[in-house]
Amino acid sequence: MADGFDFSPGAQVPLSGSAGQTAATQALASAAYRDSPLSDISKADSDSGKSEIKKPKLSLFEPNLGEAFARAVQVRMLGGGRKALIQSFGTEPQTVVEHCLSASRVRKQRDVRLTLLMVLFGLLFLPGVLLWLGAFQLRRTFAKGGDGKGVSLPGAVLLTVLAGVALVFMVKLPVNGFWPLYARAMVVAPVIGWWWAKQICERTAVAMRGAWKGLLEGGGVAAKIPEAVPQDPNQTAAETLRKNLAKVSAEQNSNVVFYAGPKGILGMGTRWGSWQLAEELTPAQEGTEINPFRSWDVIRAIHDRLRLLERSPLHTGGFPTPSVRHWIVSPVGEKAAAVSRPEGTHVDAYQIRGHEMERICNEQQFGSGNRHYLGVQFVLWDGQLVITLMITVTVLHETLRIEVTGHALGPVNGLFTTKPEPKTKDVAKVVKFWETRTQTLPLIEPREVVRLAARAPLTWFPPLLDFLGGKLTLPEPFGLRHVWADKPWRHRFMADDALRTATPVLRAVHTAAVSVLKDNGVNTERFTNRSLFLSGMIQSVEPQKADEYSA
């Protein structure tokens, strides 16, 4: 393929580290089913970027959070000319995209029915529908606080006057004749259509809220997207959708990450700690020479040692199995609006091949260019906490430097973990009027039915609907996980997990490095002393802003 990725069918092998990531994945996926206001998404933005909400031309066509989120994620992650994505560590982005498609499919089925009602009760009685829509638009325009709820005093006066004029007009009309009857019908017919539409909208709202709640409770809600399964070779749209979904998973598994200055490694979080072991390379015995070795030799030994972290001399819980992987880190600007993944013969399915990775490790240690890091990553708290420690080895002149840096990505914002609340109100009892009871209200309010019915015919023309109703623009560079992640330091146990990880990883790295130096005839006394000093210093490790220099 031209893009270097083979989309031919084959065995589906689970990716390493994918287990235990359901909480963060399902929390993000639940946003596609929500019916809360779109403005709520601004509360969830992190320091990595801010979502932009395009204001509607007509507030009657404004989308809610679920509609805007599903649309924005689909366009950004499956669009034809989409930019490169940032990996979403701790989540499965393809699952989130599939739920966005599934939610859009449910809404599409509802909009088909609403469109038929609009044709039957709207097109035949168009003047009346326009009058009703105008009244609802005026109500939203004069609403208190601009949220569509309540009416300000000038708005109430205006709507009352218009209602009075309409009533007088209806009474004064002649009783006989086609046009007087049509005039009365064009006012009543939209109300009948509205009542029918309300039943359709209510059923859909119940189903959507059921999926929302089921995802957050771990109920195993499956995304249904039959349009992504080609039924015959001529279904090019389904084949294209299937390939784009496969690209999302392939890019998620890429071994190239991006360093954006104080923002840290995009997708892994900011760098909160850094420890360096740098000493001179001298022969173990005078009159002898050091056996030639490369940075890659040290990295391989560290890699093998880190794979044993889950083992312990004591029968305690200890570490879960970590993901130990080689990474290529590419530098980008702090305010970069996009990233680009490398291309060429040394790239296969968005991954740098092994021989090129080894070359970068040994040769690109100074000056411009990408750098090689070895990462050990722990995905904890069902994907809500991602701890990554990155190790790099450099040799400049006669100095060997081993650097370990800590990165932590916290839980997804609490907005995505809130469950749907039933709409209720307290009313007085009939007999015991001094007592109250809780009454369950319908999920769909009258103004919401009007909004959905008005949007339904335009859902066949998404760009026009975006122009009239506004849309959600996702922050760039975009990754589903890091743009809505909170800091882990506000959660006591998450902070403890991140801080405790550094000590055993640092000691394992130093042990592996010293063993390679001994095998190659290097005097390890200074390295050992420095390692002991770092081991003592890391006992009281605290999170720092390691990428924000005061100079």
Side-chain angles (χ1 to χ4, degrees):
M1 298 294 292
D3 55 8
F5 189 75
D6 181 14
F7 294 102
S8 60
Q12 301 298 307
V13 181
L15 302 178
S16 60
S18 62
Q21 301 181 9
T22 56
T25 301
Q26 293 181 346
L28 291 170
S30 70
Y33 299 96
R34 295 172 184 254
D35 51 21
S36 48
L38 175 56
S39 57
D40 288 354
I41 195 69
S42 300
K43 305 173 185 176
D45 292 331
S46 67
D47 296 335
S48 298
K50 307 296 181 183
S51 302
E52 180 182 350
I53 300 175
K54 180 184 176 183
K55 297 298 182 181
K57 303 292 184 184
L58 293 172
S59 58
L60 190 62
F61 298 100
E62 185 178 11
N64 60 27
L65 175 58
E67 293 165 345
F69 180 86
R71 165 80 174 153
V73 169
Q74 288 173 228
V75 172
R76 179 60 183 84
M77 303 188 73
L78 301 177
R82 70 176 181 86
K83 303 175 184 177
L85 295 170
I86 303 301
Q87 291 98 321
S88 300
F89 301 107
T91 62
E92 298 173 6
Q94 181 174 341
T95 301
V96 179
V97 179
E98 288 173 352
H99 277 285
C100 289
L101 290 169
S102 181
S104 297
R105 178 173 174 269
V106 174
R107 293 189 178 100
K108 197 74 171 178
Q109 293 172 340
R110 176 201 63 198
D111 291 340
V112 169
R113 299 184 180 94
L114 293 179
T115 301
L116 292 176
L117 287 178
M118 287 293 286
V119 171
L120 181 61
F121 294 96
L123 196 60
L124 297 179
F125 304 95
L126 184 59
V129 170
L130 294 178
L131 287 175
W132 279 109
L133 290 179
F136 274 93
Q137 179 61 51
L138 285 174
R139 186 179 185 276
R140 293 176 69 93
T141 302
F142 289 101
K144 294 179 180 179
D147 59 355
K149 297 181 179 179
V151 183
S152 61
L153 181 59
V157 173
L158 178 60
L159 290 175
T160 302
V161 171
L162 291 176
V165 172
L167 181 61
V168 171
F169 178 75
M170 294 294 293
V171 172
K172 291 294 185 180
L173 280 174
V175 178
N176 300 322
F178 171 77
W179 291 111
L181 293 177
Y182 177 79
R184 291 183 173 87
M186 76 178 187
V187 177
V188 176
V191 178
I192 298 175
W194 169 87
W195 180 86
W196 201 343
K198 187 177 186 299
Q199 313 308 311
I200 297 173
C201 295
E202 184 72 19
R203 288 196 298 269
T204 303
V206 171
M208 299 288 274
R209 286 202 163 204
W212 172 5
K213 184 178 181 180
L215 282 170
L216 294 182
E217 292 182 347
V221 178
K224 299 177 182 179
I225 45 173
E227 62 270 21
V229 182
Q231 301 297 324
D232 59 72
N234 295 325
Q235 285 188 314
T236 56
E239 180 65 15
T240 300
L241 178 57
R242 185 188 70 82
K243 287 184 177 181
N244 287 337
L245 287 171
K247 281 185 179 181
V248 172
S249 292
E251 200 162 2
Q252 168 73 4
N253 201 37
S254 172
N255 56 10
V256 180
V257 291
F258 303 91
Y259 213 121
K263 293 182 180 179
I265 296 180
L266 298 178
M268 292 184 181
T270 56
R271 186 171 66 156
W272 61 267
S274 178
W275 305 273
Q276 296 87 23
L277 172 65
E279 295 294 340
E280 184 181 3
L281 293 171
T282 58
Q285 297 179 356
E286 294 185 4
T288 62
E289 294 184 357
I290 298 174
N291 296 330
F293 66 94
R294 302 174 302 167
S295 299
W296 184 254
D297 298 324
V298 180
I299 283 292
R300 282 193 307 175
I302 295 175
H303 177 274
D304 295 340
R305 184 77 181 189
L306 290 176
R307 292 179 66 89
L308 304 177
L309 278 175
E310 59 186 297
R311 300 184 182 180
S312 172
L314 303 179
H315 295 288
T316 60
F319 281 133
T321 304
S323 170
V324 183
R325 193 177 182 192
H326 296 275
W327 296 97
I328 297 299
V329 179
S330 180
V332 296
E334 177 185 356
K335 298 182 179 180
V339 297
S340 59
R341 298 200 173 274
E343 299 177 349
T345 57
H346 58 274
V347 180
D348 181 22
Y350 301 114
Q351 297 195 55
I352 302 293
R353 295 179 184 269
H355 67 276
E356 176 65 12
M357 188 171 293
E358 183 176 346
R359 185 196 68 80
I360 293 174
C361 176
N362 291 323
E363 299 178 10
Q364 292 186 200
Q365 300 181 358
F366 203 70
S368 62
N370 300 330
R371 303 289 171 83
H372 170 273
Y373 283 77
L374 177 66
V376 53
Q377 188 174 86
F378 298 89
V379 177
L380 308 173
W381 296 82
D382 291 333
Q384 292 283 41
L385 176 63
V386 181
I387 303 172
T388 311
L389 287 104
M390 303 287 276
I391 303 101
T392 183
V393 177
T394 59
V395 180
L396 298 175
H397 189 47
E398 297 178 352
T399 300
L400 172 70
R401 174 182 291 268
I402 302 171
E403 183 175 3
V404 180
T405 59
H407 300 260
L409 192 69
V412 295
N413 188 272
L415 169 71
F416 297 96
T417 57
T418 55
K419 297 180 181 180
E421 295 289 341
K423 295 185 178 181
T424 60
K425 72 173 182 179
D426 294 332
V427 295
K429 293 183 178 179
V430 177
V431 179
K432 297 181 179 179
F433 56 87
W434 57 89
E435 297 181 1
T436 61
R437 61 183 178 87
T438 301
Q439 179 182 357
T440 302
L441 302 175
L443 296 177
I444 298 296
E445 300 176 0
R447 59 189 179 87
E448 178 67 3
V449 178
V450 175
R451 185 189 72 87
L452 294 173
R455 283 174 56 90
L458 296 181
T459 53
W460 309 101
F461 311 99
L464 178 59
L465 192 58
D466 291 343
F467 173 77
L468 293 176
K471 63 179 181 178
L472 172 66
T473 301
L474 302 173
E476 297 291 347
F478 179 70
L480 274 171
R481 183 69 170 81
H482 76 282
V483 298
W484 291 304
D486 287 339
K487 292 181 173 61
W489 315 116
R490 297 176 182 176
H491 191 295
R492 180 68 266 170
F493 288 172
M494 288 188 182
D496 288 345
D497 288 344
L499 299 179
R500 290 167 180 167
T501 308
T503 304
V505 170
L506 184 68
R507 288 173 176 167
V509 169
H510 289 176
T511 300
V514 170
S515 66
V516 174
L517 297 178
K518 284 183 178 180
D519 293 342
N520 288 279
V522 177
N523 186 349
T524 60
E525 182 178 357
R526 290 185 177 181
F527 287 94
T528 303
N529 292 338
R530 174 64 178 170
S531 177
L532 292 174
F533 172 76
L534 288 176
S535 294
M537 185 179 66
I538 205 173
Q539 297 291 337
S540 59
V541 62
E542 295 179 358
Q544 306 290 334
K545 296 182 178 180
D547 282 315
E548 295 185 9
Y549 300 99
S550 58

